[in-house]
Amino acid sequence: MEPVQPLTPRVLCSVLSVKSHSCEVTLDSGRALLSWKEVRPRRGRERSRAGACLAQAFQRVRGLTGTLTHRLPSAGHIVPVSEIVSVGEADVDEKYYGMQWKHMCKPHAFTVHYVQRMKKHRWRCKAVTFWCSDEQLYCHWLQALNDLLEQLACRPKRLLVYINPYGGKKKGRQIYEKKVAPLFCLASITADVIVTEYANHARDNIYEVNLDKYDGIVCVGGDGMFSEVLHGLIGRIQKDSDVDHNNPKIPLSRCYMRIGIIPAGSTDCVCFATVGINDPVTSALHIILGDSQPLDVSAVHNKKTLLKYTVSLLGYGFYGDVLKGSEKNRWLGPARYDFSGFKTFLSHRYYEGTVSFQPAKWAVGSPRDNVCCTAGCYICRQSSKQLEEQQRAETYGLQHNEQEENWTTVKGKFMSINIVVMSCACPRSPKGLSPAAHLADGTADLILVRKCSRLNFLRHLIRHTKSNSDQFDFPFVDVYRIKTFQFTPKHSEEDDSESTDLGNIGKKNFAQICTDHPTCGCSQLNSVWNCDGETLEQTAIEMRVHCQLIRLFARGIEDSHKEDDEMPSRV
Ligand SMILES: Nc1ncnc2c1ncn2[C@@H]1O[C@H](COP(=O)(O)OP(=O)(O)OP(=O)(O)O)[C@@H](O)[C@H]1O
Ligand SMILES: CCCCCCCCCCCCC/C=C/[C@@H](O)[C@H](CO)NC(C)=O
Ligand SMILES: [Ca+2]
């Protein structure tokens, strides 16, 4: 083996072996890049015979996550240090190294585990083992790599993990133990794990635990489980900082502790829309690398009482009814939404009410500009900056306080009213309910689908479950980028309870036959709100977006240029 060549004090370069190949391996500390490239690649028979023999022996040497699978193209590899999961001493099995290394004493080897991008935003943990005969050189490499990893302050070391054993296909516990825990262990992350015993266990627990002990909270489950953790964390932070969250106008305290989502639910919309895929290993790797994605949160109030926070869908009409119907069929697992979706579609109900909202005037983008939110999103950065400036100007009296101004009101009959803080992309709707909505711009998109024929509604629905057509391009659909929203149903809750008191109508909100629409059998005056997969008791609500209130272990959707089966990081 050649000795270390100190090109500059910040670049380490040696010829090390990878499988049977001699490689020039470079660690550029300044640019934080590790690269390796085969030197003098052999050709033809010579390569294949010798290579096959050595490769076989090397493949028996096990890394921490299994047999070594890394291919060695002559083009070489480059891995940012920030995407290295861990570096450790490789297990050198004397029985197998003898053949390749017979001309020298016991070899030394270290394995680098790193992130490799696959297609459709999926990440995998790959391993490559570097061999050398010189112990000092080996120690030097190990030390240099680990020193660089130590400097990555954003990486979590201690996590609090909540597992919902009943979410989705009820595989949360298995997913965590088999796919996630081994990766956390590889990355030297310690985790305190709580398997929830009842709904809201995680939420309540977050109010009690000493959060200072942790660098983040992880939830294993679906959107409902995430919502629990979200409520626990936001609630706890407001309590600790003495903020009255029941006041709909008060600015909330931001939560800097990140939340990680290991998808194990039915829709997994929050995970999908912030990572690009609902894959537990990919999410675990984003947590390990210490990614951080700010996220807008909307607070939903009724008469000065906080009802819920929402980060994905606040939906009335179609999605409210889908949720309500699906709850009766929880036993169907994720298929409950399709079943209920189909039934809800057949019932073809619409609901009357008044929608009021304030447009987000500072926002840089618009819901129909086709500019999707991506990792490091420019629109999110610009919009949040402009919002901050506007708020500062209002605070110092330089600008008129807009809180009570510029309301737009729409009164009518709606098939569906959807307010989304993010795109709401999920496997069932790959681009989401509003494909150009942004994760952290301080706005929500309001989608109003007015009363229309069954066929037209079907066309709209089909478009939003397909990835390449504009679901807003209908005369009965309007979409707005907003900051606040209010809804008053035509038949208010008070009216309903009066009717109920009269004793002649029956259940609240299911009062009389719809006079406008007698043939549809529509017997429901009000729908319910679907708030991130939970139904709300009240129909009269107000909502306000809080810009970047929380942070996730995610980075937004990366631009994917290649759709290969595997996308190795080649030089
Ligand atoms: N141990 C438990 N027993 C019963 N319910 C629980 C338990 N732990 C959590 N929950 C509740 O289960 C509900 C649903 O869970 P989760 O979101 O994980 O799955 P899902 O509803 O199938 O998926 P999605 O929300 O993505 O559609 C959540 O609202 C959560 O509060
Ligand atoms: C004609 C049949 C139409 C079937 C429609 C099926 C459902 C499509 C799912 C798209 C929903 C995206 C928004 C996500 C909302 C989540 O917050 C919530 C909780 O997980 N999920 C649902 C389905 O309400
Ligand atoms: Ca937003």
Side-chain angles (χ1 to χ4, degrees):
M1 287 302 113
E2 288 173 27
V4 184
Q5 292 173 7
L7 297 178
T8 73
R10 310 214 66 192
V11 179
L12 184 58
C13 183
S14 313
V15 175
L16 306 174
S17 288
V18 177
K19 297 187 185 170
S20 58
H21 307 259
S22 283
C23 281
E24 186 180 272
V25 188
T26 307
L27 178 62
D28 183 336
S29 310
R31 291 160 66 208
L33 293 175
L34 171 71
S35 56
W36 62 101
K37 192 172 184 215
E38 189 177 355
V39 281
R40 293 184 306 274
R42 281 168 293 169
R43 297 236 164 129
R45 249 196 231 162
E46 184 202 348
R47 178 185 177 166
S48 47
R49 246 191 264 127
C53 171
L54 292 172
Q56 249 180 14
F58 272 92
Q59 270 170 9
R60 294 199 187 104
V61 180
R62 290 187 165 262
L64 283 166
T65 53
T67 40
L68 302 178
T69 54
H70 196 78
R71 288 187 287 126
L72 195 71
S74 55
H77 288 73
I78 184 159
V79 173
V81 172
S82 60
E83 294 186 6
I84 293 178
V85 171
S86 72
V87 178
E89 190 182 340
D91 183 10
V92 179
D93 188 331
E94 300 210 11
K95 212 163 97 191
Y96 299 112
Y97 73 73
M99 185 171 56
Q100 299 83 350
W101 300 87
K102 54 179 180 259
H103 57 290
M104 55 180 79
C105 51
K106 185 177 172 184
H108 301 275
F110 60 91
T111 300
V112 175
H113 296 267
Y114 62 98
V115 166
Q116 186 160 56
R117 284 167 177 76
M118 319 299 275
K119 67 174 182 180
K120 294 186 177 161
H121 308 287
R122 191 183 299 275
W123 284 9
R124 283 293 170 264
C125 185
K126 292 277 171 174
V128 56
T129 297
F130 298 100
W131 298 74
C132 67
S133 54
D134 181 342
E135 186 175 5
Q136 221 186 334
L137 179 65
Y138 154 82
C139 291
H140 203 68
W141 269 96
L142 212 53
Q143 179 81 39
L145 281 163
N146 277 319
D147 282 354
L148 284 177
L149 289 183
E150 277 297 307
Q151 287 170 24
L152 300 172
C154 58
R155 294 200 171 184
K157 291 190 166 63
R158 299 195 62 174
L159 292 171
L160 175 58
V161 178
Y162 294 101
I163 303 177
N164 176 4
Y166 301 114
K169 294 180 184 157
K170 302 192 172 65
K171 293 212 167 118
R173 202 195 288 235
Q174 242 173 294
I175 286 171
Y176 182 76
E177 281 164 9
K178 292 210 171 119
K179 299 187 171 180
V180 179
L183 284 172
F184 283 176
C185 176
L186 184 66
S188 307
I189 291 175
T190 55
D192 290 341
V193 179
I194 297 175
V195 178
T196 59
E197 288 162 19
Y198 48 89
N200 291 323
H201 184 174
R203 185 198 64 187
D204 297 346
N205 190 258
I206 292 172
Y207 274 89
E208 289 161 13
V209 286
N210 175 9
L211 291 177
D212 296 339
K213 275 171 50 187
Y214 301 104
D215 304 314
I217 302 180
V218 171
C219 56
V220 185
D223 295 323
M225 190 58 189
F226 169 77
S227 176
E228 261 199 42
V229 168
L230 173 89
H231 281 83
L233 191 58
I234 300 179
R236 167 79 187 264
I237 300 294
Q238 307 320 306
K239 185 170 158 243
D240 291 356
S241 44
D242 233 356
V243 171
D244 174 15
H245 61 197
N246 286 318
N247 180 344
K249 297 213 166 111
I250 213 158
L252 297 172
S253 288
R254 281 188 174 164
C255 311
Y256 293 99
M257 171 161 286
R258 286 163 291 174
I259 306 176
I261 309 169
I262 301 295
S266 301
T267 316
D268 296 325
C269 161
V270 185
C271 176
F272 197 98
T274 54
V275 173
I277 190 166
N278 55 334
D279 173 61
V281 170
T282 306
S283 289
L285 291 169
H286 280 280
I287 295 170
I288 290 168
L289 299 195
D291 278 355
S292 186
Q293 170 66 50
L295 195 63
D296 298 335
V297 177
S298 287
V300 184
H301 286 80
N302 169 280
K303 292 183 191 153
K304 308 245 152 83
T305 304
L306 173 76
L307 300 179
K308 280 263 176 212
Y309 294 111
T310 157
V311 295
S312 55
L313 169 68
L314 181 63
Y316 185 79
F318 183 75
Y319 279 110
D321 294 351
V322 169
L323 179 71
K324 195 163 182 170
S326 74
E327 285 302 306
K328 294 174 216 147
N329 295 307
R330 263 208 167 261
W331 58 273
L332 280 174
R336 70 188 186 275
Y337 289 129
D338 303 309
F339 181 64
S340 173
F342 186 64
K343 276 181 67 176
T344 306
F345 166 72
L346 289 181
S347 69
H348 195 61
R349 292 191 193 108
Y350 65 83
Y351 300 95
E352 297 190 59
T354 305
V355 164
S356 307
F357 59 90
Q358 286 176 299
K361 283 203 283 187
W362 71 87
V364 178
S366 77
R368 296 191 67 185
D369 62 9
N370 284 325
V371 181
C372 293
C373 192
T374 49
C377 179
Y378 169 80
I379 304 260
C380 289
R381 269 185 288 133
Q382 277 306 106
S383 297
S384 56
K385 206 166 113 195
Q386 277 175 224
L387 173 62
E388 250 172 51
E389 273 163 24
Q390 184 187 303
Q391 285 169 342
R392 207 173 303 129
E394 281 172 13
T395 313
Y396 293 111
L398 301 172
Q399 197 173 311
H400 194 73
N401 191 322
E402 281 204 285
Q403 279 198 354
E404 304 309 326
E405 286 185 355
N406 299 312
W407 285 89
T408 302
T409 298
V410 184
K411 206 171 169 176
K413 299 171 178 170
F414 302 100
M415 307 296 300
S416 151
I417 300 170
N418 296 326
I419 301 124
V420 297
V421 178
M422 56 169 72
S423 72
C424 283
C426 62
R428 285 183 176 80
S429 174
K431 286 218 160 171
L433 302 189
S434 188
H438 287 265
L439 295 172
D441 64 342
T443 76
D445 286 355
L446 164 66
I447 305 150
L448 297 177
V449 184
R450 278 172 278 107
K451 185 184 165 192
C452 61
S453 69
R454 212 183 238 119
L455 179 65
N456 273 337
F457 191 58
L458 182 65
R459 286 168 64 211
H460 166 69
L461 279 184
I462 288 174
R463 283 200 194 171
H464 82 222
T465 54
K466 296 270 172 282
S467 56
N468 52 358
S469 41
D470 183 356
Q471 63 254 47
F472 307 134
D473 189 17
F474 291 106
F476 54 90
V477 179
D478 290 307
V479 56
Y480 309 89
R481 190 147 287 175
I482 62 164
K483 60 174 180 176
T484 50
F485 167 88
Q486 281 183 0
F487 180 70
T488 315
K490 183 176 176 196
H491 308 277
S492 68
E493 282 104 340
E494 282 79 9
D495 294 347
D496 291 339
S497 47
E498 265 169 38
S499 315
T500 315
D501 290 345
L502 291 172
N504 56 355
I505 295 165
K507 237 176 154 188
K508 189 179 170 184
N509 293 350
F510 290 84
Q512 49 202 248
I513 300 295
C514 168
T515 46
D516 287 335
H517 212 207
T519 50
C520 70
C522 164
S523 59
Q524 199 175 309
L525 281 182
N526 288 345
S527 176
V528 293
W529 283 100
N530 173 343
C531 182
D532 290 1
E534 304 265 322
T535 49
L536 297 183
E537 293 283 307
Q538 290 81 356
T539 36
I541 58 158
E542 59 182 294
M543 185 220 80
R544 169 177 300 274
V545 186
H546 293 263
C547 186
Q548 306 191 357
L549 189 62
I550 59 158
R551 288 189 165 261
L552 299 185
F553 283 111
R555 59 173 65 171
I557 316 293
E558 289 188 316
D559 280 330
S560 49
H561 303 292
K562 264 173 145 189
E563 284 290 282
D564 295 352
D565 202 35
E566 202 173 306
M567 304 204 309
S569 35
R570 287 181 193 164
V571 185

